[in-house]
Amino acid sequence: DDGVSSAAIEPPTTTASLSGAVDIPDDLAAEYNIVSGLATYSVEEELQGLPTVGVGTTETISGSIAPGGTFDFTIDLQSFVSDQSRRDAKVREWFSQNPDGTFSGESFDLPSSAQVGEAVAFEVTGDLTVNGITHASTWAIEARVEENATLSVTGETFIVLSEFDIPVLDGGFIVMEDGATIEVAFSAAP
């Protein structure tokens, strides 16, 4: 599985403690900041005619969440690392002028109540900016309120690479699909 696993994210340590049902937003902080996370891209490829998936990851993600409100994060696109140094060099080249990818959403709407430790699924729509180009983007989100009053969040979206002026290699050694799945997983603390 090349997906993002929330198990890889270390939960932050807080002194708060929650259990059972929580009322949202009353029992939560007004804002949470990302304290650790992972972002992953996956692109279908053919290398010398053999199908594969190019996967890169980075832990360079920052941002904040206001439950019932905004959801903003930034990923350092040049920090992605894969199993191919040539792919990594291309990624750094493609984002050399605009190294940050950002998402800004206005609808991080957790339900009005949730059970501590149980994931809730919803969508967040907002603006995704890559290479200085902004398009609307909808993320499938799973969020969980943890016993230590932090949030664990995973999210996934699909983008068309050419819409963000990302070159789609099509010939020679490599052929890429014109699309990528972007996933994030992180812990956020008040």
Side-chain angles (χ1 to χ4, degrees):
D1 180 4
D2 291 322
V4 174
S5 169
S6 60
I9 308 305
E10 290 295 322
T13 303
T14 67
T15 57
S17 178
L18 295 174
S19 64
V22 290
D23 288 325
I24 299 170
D26 296 342
D27 292 336
L28 300 182
E31 182 174 89
Y32 289 77
N33 293 307
I34 295 173
V35 293
S36 65
L38 184 70
T40 303
Y41 71 79
S42 304
V43 178
E44 301 275 334
E45 302 174 332
E46 283 188 20
L47 298 177
Q48 294 184 334
L50 299 173
T52 187
V53 178
V55 177
T57 61
T58 181
E59 294 180 0
T60 310
I61 181 172
S62 61
S64 64
I65 300 168
T70 60
F71 175 40
D72 302 302
F73 64 83
T74 300
I75 300 169
D76 178 353
L77 302 173
Q78 289 192 305
S79 67
F80 276 111
V81 177
S82 72
D83 62 345
Q84 298 288 324
S85 61
R86 288 186 288 184
R87 180 187 298 124
D88 299 344
K90 280 292 185 194
V91 168
R92 286 190 298 278
E93 176 185 321
W94 293 338
F95 301 118
S96 63
Q97 298 300 308
N98 295 289
D100 291 335
T102 62
F103 177 76
S104 181
E106 297 294 327
S107 60
F108 196 87
D109 294 325
L110 291 163
S112 60
S113 69
Q115 290 293 320
V116 171
E118 290 183 15
V120 292
F122 54 97
E123 291 186 340
V124 175
T125 299
D127 292 327
L128 179 66
T129 302
V130 175
N131 268 341
I133 300 166
T134 302
H135 288 288
S137 177
T138 299
W139 289 72
I141 300 291
E142 278 198 5
R144 188 173 58 244
V145 178
E146 303 293 359
E147 288 181 7
N148 65 356
T150 63
L151 296 177
S152 294
V153 178
T154 61
E156 179 179 311
T157 195
F158 182 83
I159 66 168
V160 176
L161 298 173
S162 59
E163 289 181 354
F164 292 97
D165 202 23
I166 300 170
V168 178
L169 303 178
D170 187 11
F173 181 74
I174 185 170
V175 176
M176 292 171 46
E177 292 293 322
D178 188 12
T181 299
I182 310 297
E183 298 172 279
V184 295
F186 57 84
S187 289

